[in-house]
Amino acid sequence: MGFVLQSFVVLLCFTPAIVCQVTEFVSIDCGSASNYTDTSTGLAWTSDAGMMGQGKPVVVVNANVNSQQYQRRRDFPADSNKYCYTLKTKERRRYLVRATFLYGSPAAEGTYPKFELYLDATKWGTITISESSRIYVNEMIIRAPSNSIDVCLCCATTESPFISTLELRPLNLSMYATDYEDNFYLKVAARVDFGAQSKEPIRYPDDPYDRIWDSDLKKRPNFLVDVAAGTERINTTKYIDTNTREYPPVKVMQTAVVGTKGMLSYRLNLDDFPANARAFAYFAEIEDLGMNETRKFKMEHPYVPDYSNAVVNIAENANGSYTLYEPSYMNITLDFILSFSFVKTPDSTRGPLLSAMEICRYVQIATKTDEQDGTMTIPCLV
Ligand SMILES: *[C@@H]1O[C@H](CO)[C@@H](O)[C@H](O)[C@H]1NC(C)=O
Ligand SMILES: *[C@@H]1O[C@H](CO)[C@@H](O)[C@H](O)[C@H]1NC(C)=O
Ligand SMILES: *[C@@H]1O[C@H](CO)[C@@H](O)[C@H](O)[C@H]1NC(C)=O
Ligand SMILES: *[C@@H]1O[C@H](CO)[C@@H](O)[C@H](O)[C@H]1NC(C)=O
Ligand SMILES: *[C@@H]1O[C@H](CO)[C@@H](O)[C@H](O)[C@H]1NC(C)=O
Ligand SMILES: *[C@@H]1O[C@H](CO)[C@@H](O)[C@H](O)[C@H]1NC(C)=O
């Protein structure tokens, strides 16, 4: 059995056109009793038993998901200690760090856990559980400050801190560069695949970097509402050239939404905003336009002086159809409620098109104070 699973992983590595990074993935199943290979992805998951001596594994009562990763979690005491996992990194290499949380138990006396998540000394976010069977995903894009990072839990205000999974995914050199990386990390606030064919997110192996691309079909409160009339979903099976800076997966770029009445608009809430953000829009022309047809549009909202007057003509900007065009905004201030719209120019025969987008909030890096091995006591300012 072990041999069969191993061969499967090795085979994945030889898939043409996919750079094999699997061997560099770190996937920790917190609270798990054993190491295993997830047969749906071929990824090897490691139990945290050998690296975390604190807290205790807890069997999740009602995971409501099939993944083995969510059958157990690790609970930590609700005290004034900071509980840290140390992950090895290569200094100055960029990574996606992901921590996920599925509680899976009934609320104790009506309250779910609420606690803090840290990356080294930098506050990553407050984890507020309000649904027992929802997977709360937190992603941070970092350039590793040294040869290891600590992901820490602490400061529960209700119940006790816990964690389900911890993942480290190396990124390629060109990906998610910013002018501010000496001082800021990027916390992922939204990563949406428009025109998605199912409610399931797209991730590894479709995305060799294992980012999670949320489906626009997924219904959540205040997520992708106020959709303009005439919005239609389109798809293609043709290959899309995505070899630009961020390498969005081909599968994400094979679907899109188009505003057949001349406008595309959406509204969504961005947690922890207003804030300064790095934002990316991903476009690929996947309709075969006639010789006398054009698709030209502008971003009307939010109004950004240097960008809103620029006319997007995807095929021209990308230098061809079925090719990625990815304009990005290095530093844009966005509100808690993000409303955005693209509107066709008067001389365009087709309405606007959008394939995917990503919004990341800048998080100021707090300097690592001293060696934080395993557990340390910190004053909890709650
Ligand atoms: C799981 O894998 C880790 C890392 O390879 C190893 O240190 C540990 O002993 C393994 N645990 C079990 C239960 O096999
Ligand atoms: C990074 O991108 C370059 C250029 O496309 C490619 O040659 C290289 O294999 C990529 N490396 C990784 C680790 O994905
Ligand atoms: C994909 O597009 C075709 C038209 O090109 C349409 O008939 C089909 O329903 C679409 N599939 C999905 C899953 O959206
Ligand atoms: C972004 O722009 C704002 C306003 O100009 C500036 O204060 C801030 O330092 C810039 N960078 C980041 C990472 O927020
Ligand atoms: C484009 O040309 C075709 C064929 O010549 C014609 O049927 C169609 O109406 C034209 N479309 C537009 C928008 O002019
Ligand atoms: C656009 O594509 C054409 C044909 O493939 C090529 O000759 C040209 O150099 C490309 N231009 C740019 C700016 O990439």
Side-chain angles (χ1 to χ4, degrees):
M1 188 64 180
F3 173 74
V4 176
L5 292 177
Q6 252 177 354
S7 314
F8 180 49
V9 176
V10 170
L11 278 180
L12 274 178
C13 295
F14 286 110
T15 307
I18 295 182
V19 182
C20 186
Q21 292 177 303
V22 177
T23 51
E24 292 182 293
F25 281 11
V26 175
S27 311
I28 300 166
D29 182 346
C30 306
S32 172
S34 57
N35 298 336
Y36 58 90
T37 298
D38 186 327
T39 47
S40 67
T41 57
L43 294 180
W45 284 83
T46 311
S47 156
D48 66 345
M51 65 186 302
M52 176 48 76
Q54 311 289 325
K56 58 174 198 306
V58 173
V59 174
V60 164
V61 187
N62 178 20
N64 210 13
V65 288
N66 293 325
S67 332
Q68 185 160 355
Q69 292 85 261
Y70 296 105
Q71 306 310 311
R72 286 165 180 249
R73 59 175 204 253
R74 180 175 291 270
D75 283 11
F76 296 95
D79 55 21
S80 57
N81 291 326
K82 204 170 176 181
Y83 295 95
C84 300
Y85 287 85
T86 301
L87 304 174
K88 283 203 187 76
T89 51
K90 284 200 183 107
E91 192 173 342
R92 297 185 74 79
R93 179 156 190 199
R94 278 191 216 103
Y95 293 88
L96 174 68
V97 190
R98 179 162 51 226
T100 77
F101 306 86
L102 182 139
Y103 189 55
S105 302
E109 289 162 15
T111 57
Y112 285 111
K114 181 173 179 179
F115 53 91
E116 307 293 341
L117 179 65
Y118 279 80
L119 204 159
D120 292 333
T122 304
K123 190 175 163 185
W124 182 344
T126 301
I127 309 301
T128 309
I129 308 296
S130 58
E131 289 169 57
S132 170
S133 58
R134 169 169 163 193
I135 301 170
Y136 292 82
V137 176
N138 281 257
E139 290 187 343
M140 192 87 105
I141 292 166
I142 66 163
R143 188 180 63 183
S146 67
N147 58 10
S148 73
I149 54 162
D150 286 339
V151 175
C152 308
L153 309 160
C154 75
C155 315
T157 48
T158 56
E159 295 304 309
S160 54
F162 74 93
I163 185 165
S164 302
T165 69
L166 190 53
E167 295 158 274
L168 193 61
R169 310 293 186 231
L171 299 171
N172 204 342
L173 266 184
S174 63
M175 297 168 76
Y176 303 100
T178 82
D179 292 345
Y180 309 102
E181 32 187 11
D182 288 338
N183 302 306
F184 292 87
Y185 292 143
L186 289 174
K187 180 178 172 171
V188 179
R191 189 188 292 118
V192 184
D193 173 20
F194 287 94
Q197 309 231 5
S198 88
K199 284 183 184 161
E200 289 305 308
I202 287 178
R203 55 183 298 182
Y204 184 85
D206 292 308
D207 185 341
Y209 302 96
D210 197 22
R211 289 160 289 188
I212 295 179
W213 298 82
D214 280 326
S215 165
D216 65 340
L217 292 170
K218 185 95 185 169
K219 295 282 174 256
R220 271 193 248 138
N222 304 314
F223 178 68
L224 305 179
V225 291
D226 290 355
V227 183
T231 301
E232 285 180 10
R233 316 170 70 76
I234 57 169
N235 66 76
T236 180
T237 52
K238 287 192 190 163
Y239 175 75
I240 316 285
D241 180 357
T242 62
N243 293 321
T244 313
R245 294 183 311 277
E246 266 64 44
Y247 303 95
V250 172
K251 193 170 174 184
V252 164
M253 298 307 298
Q254 284 175 326
T255 65
V257 285
V258 287
T260 59
K261 296 208 166 130
M263 170 139 140
L264 270 182
S265 68
Y266 290 90
R267 178 166 63 82
L268 71 160
N269 287 3
L270 296 172
D271 285 344
D272 299 330
F273 277 73
N276 296 329
R278 176 108 171 81
F280 303 85
Y282 299 100
F283 305 103
E285 182 55 76
I286 58 169
E287 286 190 309
D288 296 311
L289 305 188
M291 292 296 279
N292 54 356
E293 294 200 284
T294 53
R295 187 192 307 284
K296 294 196 280 184
F297 55 94
K298 291 183 183 185
M299 181 168 76
E300 200 172 72
H301 288 291
Y303 182 77
V304 190
D306 289 345
Y307 293 94
S308 295
N309 295 323
V311 174
V312 179
N313 179 334
I314 305 169
E316 205 171 278
N317 295 139
N319 199 18
S321 293
Y322 304 96
T323 305
L324 168 68
Y325 169 55
E326 54 149 298
S328 72
Y329 312 91
M330 183 63 82
N331 182 3
I332 181 175
T333 304
L334 297 176
D335 284 326
F336 169 62
I337 297 173
L338 171 64
S339 287
F340 65 92
S341 57
F342 294 99
V343 179
K344 84 174 192 69
T345 59
D347 61 336
S348 172
T349 61
R350 296 287 188 114
L353 176 156
L354 177 62
S355 313
M357 68 165 198
E358 255 182 310
I359 295 170
C360 302
R361 177 190 197 281
Y362 282 109
V363 175
Q364 179 124 36
I365 302 171
T367 10
K368 205 169 175 173
T369 42
D370 46 27
E371 280 304 304
Q372 304 181 317
D373 239 355
T375 331
M376 64 178 293
T377 308
I378 50 134
C380 274
L381 305 170
V382 288

